[in-house]
């Protein structure tokens, strides 16, 4: 199980722009990542490139719109943890 950290702007800048139902599902996505941030219980996720190298994205399709939850996994620290840095339309 991984610990979870949220970027300071997630609550005030990202979540407020999401549809209400997707805001509620954010807790579920956090639980999925805490269990296994690589397999993500069958949800689409992948490594990012470029400026976001070393980060991963959880791809979410909601009512025909693509959203992306961006996070970084820290496996070498103890305890292992995930830092979610953004959640928004992709």
């Amino acid at each position: 199980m991984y610990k979870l950290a949220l970027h300071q702007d997630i609550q005030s800048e990202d979540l407020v722009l999401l549809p209400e139902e997707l805001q509620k599902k954010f807790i579920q996505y956090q639980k999925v990542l805490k269990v296994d941030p690589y397999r993500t219980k069958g949800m689409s996720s992948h490594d990012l490139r470029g400026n976001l190298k070393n980060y991963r994205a959880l791809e979410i399709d909601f009512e025909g719109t693509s959203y992306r939850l961006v996070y970084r996994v820290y496996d070498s620290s103890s305890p292992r943890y995930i830092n979610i840095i953004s959640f928004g339309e992709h």
Side-chain angles (χ1 to χ4, degrees):
M1 189 74 89
Y2 287 77
K3 297 279 184 182
L4 194 67
L6 301 178
H7 187 277
Q8 62 188 16
D9 296 333
I10 291 278
Q11 299 287 343
S12 62
E13 294 182 14
D14 292 358
L15 290 181
V16 296
L17 299 175
L18 298 175
E20 189 175 330
E21 189 174 333
L22 199 53
Q23 290 178 31
K24 291 176 183 175
K25 288 185 176 189
F26 181 58
I27 293 171
Q28 292 174 314
Y29 301 139
Q30 291 177 62
K31 289 178 182 178
V32 166
L33 293 176
K34 286 171 76 171
V35 172
D36 187 340
Y38 300 103
R39 292 196 180 137
T40 60
K41 290 192 176 184
M43 297 179 70
S44 178
S45 67
H46 58 89
D47 291 328
L48 296 173
R49 297 178 285 187
N51 292 341
L52 292 174
K53 183 180 178 186
N54 299 320
Y55 287 86
R56 294 184 56 80
L58 185 65
E59 302 292 339
I60 299 158
D61 183 49
F62 181 76
E63 295 183 354
T65 302
S66 295
Y67 293 88
R68 181 165 83 167
L69 192 153
V70 178
Y71 61 97
R72 186 168 184 176
V73 181
Y74 294 88
D75 281 318
S76 60
S77 63
S78 182
R80 299 179 306 170
Y81 76 97
I82 300 159
N83 185 19
I84 298 176
I85 64 164
S86 69
F87 188 14
E89 279 190 47
H90 179 39

